[in-house]
Amino acid sequence: MRNAINVEQLSKKFELGALSQDTMLRERLVKFFQGPFKKRVDENQIIWALKDVSFRIDEREVVGIIGRNGAGKSTLLKVLSKITYPTSGRVSVRGRVASLLEVGTGFHEELTGRENIYLNGSILGMKKKEVDAKMDAILEFAGVERFVETPIKRYSSGMRLRLGFAVAAHLDPDILIIDEVLAVGDAGFQKKCLNAMEDLRSGGRTVLFVSHNMAAVENLCTRAIWIDDGRLREDGPVQRVIESYMATFASSQQATTDLTQVESRRGSGEIRYTGFEFLSRDGQPLSVTRSGDATTWRFHYHAKEAIRYPFFGLRLFTEMGTLITETGTWHHGIAIPEIPPGEGHVDLEIDSLNLMPARYLLTIGISGEGFHVYDNLDHCARLDIEDANIYSSGRSLNTYYGIVFFPQRWRLTGIPSITHQG
């Protein structure tokens, strides 16, 4: 079988503070004429997003690209899509490539939805009659029929996403590259995306799929490539690579987690998390958590300077990467005018932890106005939920019955024979 994608010793570096990465002719000319007069770049200002990455993908393969935030996955896809160019190494891509890397990628703001569909088709080398044959299917999938003559700049982010995926999936690309499309959109749209990617796989297309949802990666892909700190960490059968990737997170739930030495974090760092605690409601360390427990999660921080209007937040995931919930002080409308320099903590009080017995992963972050990120730690703590006699029936709960349970009661007063019994 022929290679659809061939990557050899691919590296990509970025200079902090640079306006661009040699993707524009203007910057190339400026650098050429600067010549020897340009200041030497400080090595501390250079970030290698990718370093000596090599792999091959055959035609008709569906490959998942996994890794933490900031590992280099999106940069890799941008190089493969020719949105940016490598610093060194070789990349060979055979066939027509359709990419959905960000909401609305490839759309022209002033053109209508219909005009943008034709534009994307022409970029892929399709004739107008070929696009005409796909138009109804694209519009039906995206659900934007009423707005097809409206300029894209007036579309919501959800409409852009739906149209972008519909265009990418329906215009017969040889290779489809998708970056975290399941992180946006409602459950119904996500299901349509998964079904469409399943159809592409069965139709013999080559698909590269980046997602933090390990269940979706394992379901759709036969192979996974794990990118870690810009390097290829592992490449092989999807289940084996996912297991290796998940094993790098915290080994087990600890009542107290020291976060000061965690290096795989991102953010500007003016304020950072220093520790995390699972506590009982009376403030005692909680090394065992059971379904339905009341609990307090304490987030310790250190601020280097006064921080105005910070937001503390978290995301809770299943072990396979399915997002269960996202919450934070922003969601509750809590405004913190200023945090002074020094140590402190905030508490999240949970009246009943309605999770089925399983292992869960916690991602935490601190952000500011304009969604500025001060600190973000992916999967920095593990929560192990143990079984409990929730319904006082002596019957255990497990993940066979779902992810969450609801406080509830059944009443049988509507059954005559039982009602008559008292």
Side-chain angles (χ1 to χ4, degrees):
M1 188 174 291
R2 296 192 308 173
N3 293 142
I5 298 173
N6 188 15
V7 175
E8 297 179 5
Q9 295 183 306
L10 171 64
S11 295
K12 176 64 179 179
K13 73 176 181 181
F14 293 94
E15 297 176 13
L16 296 179
L19 294 176
S20 69
Q21 296 299 320
D22 291 338
T23 56
M24 298 178 64
L25 176 61
R26 180 177 59 192
E27 272 65 38
R28 291 187 181 190
L29 291 172
V30 169
K31 287 196 172 187
F32 175 80
F33 285 111
Q34 281 178 336
F37 303 105
K38 184 182 177 182
K39 288 185 179 180
R40 182 179 177 183
V41 177
D42 185 351
E43 289 297 322
N44 294 324
Q45 298 297 305
I46 293 177
I47 294 176
W48 288 93
L50 296 169
K51 190 69 174 176
D52 295 326
V53 174
S54 298
F55 60 85
R56 294 181 180 181
I57 295 175
D58 291 335
E59 291 178 336
R60 303 184 179 182
E61 270 198 290
V62 181
V63 180
I65 311 291
I66 64 175
R68 298 174 187 256
N69 285 333
K73 306 184 302 298
S74 295
T75 301
L76 173 62
L77 298 193
K78 288 178 180 178
V79 172
L80 295 178
S81 303
K82 298 184 179 179
I83 293 173
T84 188
Y85 294 96
T87 303
S88 62
R90 293 181 56 196
V91 176
S92 174
V93 179
R94 186 191 302 272
R96 297 192 303 203
V97 178
S99 304
L100 185 61
L101 306 186
E102 297 172 358
V103 175
T105 297
F107 287 152
H108 190 291
E109 292 288 301
E110 299 298 330
L111 299 181
T112 66
R114 186 185 302 277
E115 290 167 339
N116 270 288
I117 294 172
Y118 283 116
L119 174 63
N120 276 263
S122 65
I123 291 172
L124 287 172
M126 300 179 70
K127 297 179 179 178
K128 181 178 182 297
K129 63 180 180 180
E130 293 179 275
V131 179
D132 288 339
K134 301 284 185 178
M135 183 66 71
D136 289 343
I138 291 171
L139 296 178
E140 182 181 358
F141 187 99
V144 296
E145 297 95 328
R146 293 175 54 197
F147 308 98
V148 67
E149 307 301 343
T150 302
I152 284 287
K153 66 181 180 182
R154 306 198 186 281
Y155 280 30
S156 68
S157 59
M159 292 166 65
R160 288 169 179 246
L161 174 73
R162 294 197 301 273
L163 184 59
F165 185 90
V167 168
H170 286 81
L171 291 186
D172 291 333
D174 298 305
I175 301 169
L176 179 61
I177 298 176
I178 303 172
D179 188 2
E180 203 57 79
V181 70
L182 299 181
V184 188
D186 57 29
F189 175 68
Q190 291 179 11
K191 185 176 180 180
K192 289 172 71 172
C193 290
L194 287 170
N195 291 338
M197 285 189 281
E198 184 68 41
D199 291 341
L200 287 167
R201 181 175 71 170
S202 60
R205 307 297 182 190
T206 304
V207 180
L208 267 66
F209 176 44
V210 164
S211 180
H212 287 102
N213 187 332
M214 296 299 106
V217 172
E218 189 169 15
N219 180 59
L220 286 169
C221 306
T222 56
R223 172 184 166 196
I225 294 174
W226 173 15
I227 302 294
D228 184 35
D229 195 24
R231 298 179 182 273
L232 193 153
R233 180 78 172 265
E234 190 169 344
D235 180 358
V238 62
Q239 187 172 7
R240 188 193 76 197
V241 176
I242 287 175
E243 288 175 355
S244 298
Y245 171 60
M246 299 305 296
T248 62
F249 298 123
S251 59
S252 63
Q253 178 182 328
Q254 297 176 327
T256 302
T257 303
D258 181 8
L259 302 176
T260 57
Q261 303 303 315
V262 177
E263 296 181 357
S264 56
R265 63 203 307 163
R266 59 189 178 91
S268 56
E270 291 88 346
I271 180 172
R272 281 190 164 184
Y273 286 115
T274 58
F276 176 80
E277 293 183 274
F278 292 109
L279 304 174
S280 64
R281 289 304 290 272
D282 60 2
Q284 298 302 309
L286 199 63
S287 57
V288 177
T289 306
R290 305 180 73 200
S291 295
D293 275 354
T295 180
T296 296
W297 296 355
R298 177 163 292 174
F299 305 85
H300 296 270
Y301 67 82
H302 173 78
K304 295 180 181 178
E305 58 189 56
I307 305 295
R308 289 181 53 80
Y309 293 104
F311 300 107
F312 296 84
L314 67 89
R315 286 183 171 186
L316 188 67
F317 297 87
T318 67
E319 196 174 20
M320 294 300 289
T322 300
L323 177 64
I324 297 172
T325 187
E326 178 178 354
T327 188
T329 55
W330 181 86
H331 298 82
H332 287 260
I334 299 173
I336 306 172
E338 185 173 283
I339 284 182
E343 311 290 334
H345 70 263
V346 293
D347 289 345
L348 173 64
E349 296 181 348
I350 301 171
D351 295 328
S352 179
L353 198 57
N354 300 333
L355 296 174
M356 294 292 192
R359 176 166 285 175
Y360 302 90
L361 301 170
L362 199 64
T363 291
I364 61 178
I366 307 173
S367 59
E369 294 178 299
F371 299 102
H372 174 78
V373 177
Y374 291 113
D375 196 20
N376 187 90
L377 296 92
D378 287 322
H379 300 349
C380 61
R382 239 175 193 164
L383 173 64
D384 289 315
I385 301 293
E386 304 294 336
D387 197 5
N389 190 19
I390 292 297
Y391 299 127
S392 302
S393 64
R395 296 177 177 175
S396 63
L397 301 174
N398 58 56
T399 51
Y400 177 81
Y401 303 108
I403 298 174
V404 301
F405 68 90
F406 304 114
Q408 59 190 266
R409 63 183 59 84
W410 289 81
R411 296 191 182 278
L412 308 181
T413 54
I415 303 176
S417 60
I418 295 179
T419 303
H420 294 157
Q421 291 176 9

